[in-house]
Amino acid sequence: MAQLNPYRPGAGQTPLYLAGREDEKHRFAKLVGQRPVLRNLITSGLRGVGKTVLLENLKPIAQSQKWLWTGNDLSESASLTEEKIAKRLITDLSILLSPILAKTHEQLPLGFLNRPERHSIPVSFDDLWQIFEGTPGLVEDKLKAVIRKSQDMLVGSGINGIVFAYDEAQNLADHAREKEYPLSILLDVLASLQRNHHEVQILLVLCGLPTLFPKLNEARTYTERMFDIMMLDKLNEEESKRAIEEPIAITESSLSFAPETVDEIVSMSGGYPYFIQYICKETFDAWISQIDSGVIPSVSKNELLAKLDQDFFAARWERATDRQQEFMLVIASLENSSQDFTTQEIVEKSKELLEKGFSSSHANQILSALLKSGFVYKNKHGKYSFAVPLLSEFILRQDMQP
């Protein structure tokens, strides 16, 4: 019988077993239990920590409490202007409402004496966009009118509220030079609707990289009072082991990892869910092919790391300039490189490692460029961290190569 690989390392792919997120699901259940809604939700963390997977697991919690759920990935193009972010929300809302709401349409048949025929047809994007265009005022006023009308149509349906859930929310930002403020519009409209305490309520869920926080604070200082924040961290040792072992148990596979192998995978992955799924899948695939060839299965750690480097890190690393790569090598050499670090620590370390180190002004310039390209982010304490998990280890491996 053919062996099935029980691991799924694809971006946003839900694993067979979700380890270590029970507290987050419990917190979200409390948020959809609010009457009225006073707090929204931000889920944030590094790539590979399982943000998108958690988002998918929050959806059935909302639906079980009679909330509708709509949303999408926020692309940069959808976030450029106020009208584009409004169109994004209205499009998602129309897809949500069309299966459950209908309007009456009258059609006059041929002949003078026949009565009009009435048909029920689903509410469409065009219907909602007509409300948008027909409402006087700014984009904020128009979007508010569309959502409020949607709330009114749902009264008496048994629906408690609508969740607007957006992944990749770090792409959303205001653009003062172009006088476009899509992020501010989103926050202002939903905050205003929540203050009205409508029978059908609104909840906003934003999911993204830690670079989302400075954009939110810059747009509106009240965001800390508007949101509960879930910072998703890597799994602890016990959770990591369950993430490795449970998929095998669920699929009742005849292959399994020895305890020493489980410990090694936990160490290699750093506890990041994506890396756990990736390493386990690659190991399983190699084992299956070796067994089919009559070979005793084994996988080299160095081969696994080389493949991981190529598949996950290499493309990102090549986007950095030579000087930026040298700068990040200095950071990776810091003892606290996997946590957070300051400009001064980088400057001092560069003087140890390089013939000509970085000045404070030059270090700040490069950090600014790395912020924009997504290699680092700045936390609320003014310190920096790598925005890509296990990047320090990857950088040091590249430096060791001849």
Side-chain angles (χ1 to χ4, degrees), residues 6-222:
Y7 299 99
R8 303 170 179 177
Q13 287 287 329
T14 300
L16 292 180
Y17 177 78
L18 180 63
R21 300 303 183 212
E22 292 305 314
D23 286 346
E24 287 82 358
K25 290 193 286 186
H26 182 67
R27 285 176 62 185
F28 179 70
K30 287 185 175 181
L31 289 178
V32 291
Q34 296 178 94
R35 298 292 184 274
V37 171
L38 302 176
R39 306 282 285 185
N40 300 278
L41 177 65
I42 291 173
T43 61
S44 184
L46 303 183
R47 294 202 182 279
V49 82
K51 301 183 298 297
T52 302
V53 169
L54 176 63
L55 199 61
E56 283 301 309
N57 278 264
L58 299 183
K59 182 177 179 179
I61 296 173
Q63 292 171 329
S64 70
Q65 297 198 34
K66 297 184 179 179
W67 284 70
L68 300 177
W69 179 287
T70 191
N72 221 304
D73 286 356
L74 282 178
S75 65
E76 292 184 11
S77 61
S79 311
L80 285 175
T81 67
E82 296 170 10
E83 185 166 309
K84 283 188 174 182
I85 193 63
K87 185 167 284 189
R88 175 73 274 163
L89 266 72
I90 293 171
T91 300
D92 296 334
L93 193 55
S94 68
I95 294 171
L96 179 69
L97 297 181
S98 61
I100 58 176
L101 291 179
K103 64 176 183 178
T104 301
H105 173 70
E106 289 191 355
Q107 183 177 11
L108 290 174
L110 293 174
F112 294 103
L113 301 177
N114 294 332
R115 294 181 178 180
E117 296 178 355
R118 290 181 171 84
H119 304 279
S120 290
I121 58 175
V123 171
S124 68
F125 169 82
D126 289 338
D127 297 318
L128 299 183
W129 193 250
Q130 192 173 27
I131 298 170
F132 181 88
E133 291 188 320
T135 302
L138 304 173
V139 172
E140 178 178 345
D141 304 309
K142 295 171 179 288
L143 179 58
K144 200 182 300 181
V146 173
I147 298 176
R148 187 181 293 117
K149 179 63 175 177
S150 301
Q151 290 175 288
D152 291 343
M153 289 189 290
L154 288 169
V155 170
S157 66
I159 299 298
N160 287 325
I162 304 170
V163 177
F164 287 92
Y166 289 99
D167 203 356
E168 300 295 340
Q170 74 277 353
N171 289 324
L172 189 59
D174 288 338
H175 311 286
R177 286 186 180 180
E178 290 78 25
K179 297 182 180 179
E180 294 286 351
Y181 301 93
L183 176 54
S184 294
I185 287 290
L186 176 65
L187 297 176
D188 289 347
V189 166
L190 296 186
S192 173
L193 291 168
Q194 287 170 344
R195 286 194 297 270
N196 288 333
H197 300 174
H198 197 283
E199 181 179 333
V200 178
Q201 301 181 89
I202 301 294
L203 179 69
L204 177 62
V205 177
L206 296 178
C207 180
L209 297 174
T211 50
L212 171 63
F213 294 121
K215 293 179 180 179
L216 287 170
N217 289 328
E218 185 179 346
R220 289 292 180 267
T221 56
Y222 60 71

Side-chain angles (χ1 to χ4, degrees), residues 302-316:
N302 289 337
E303 289 177 3
L304 267 176
L305 288 175
K307 193 171 191 312
L308 178 62
D309 288 350
Q310 189 61 38
D311 290 350
F312 187 82
F313 295 105
R316 291 176 172 85

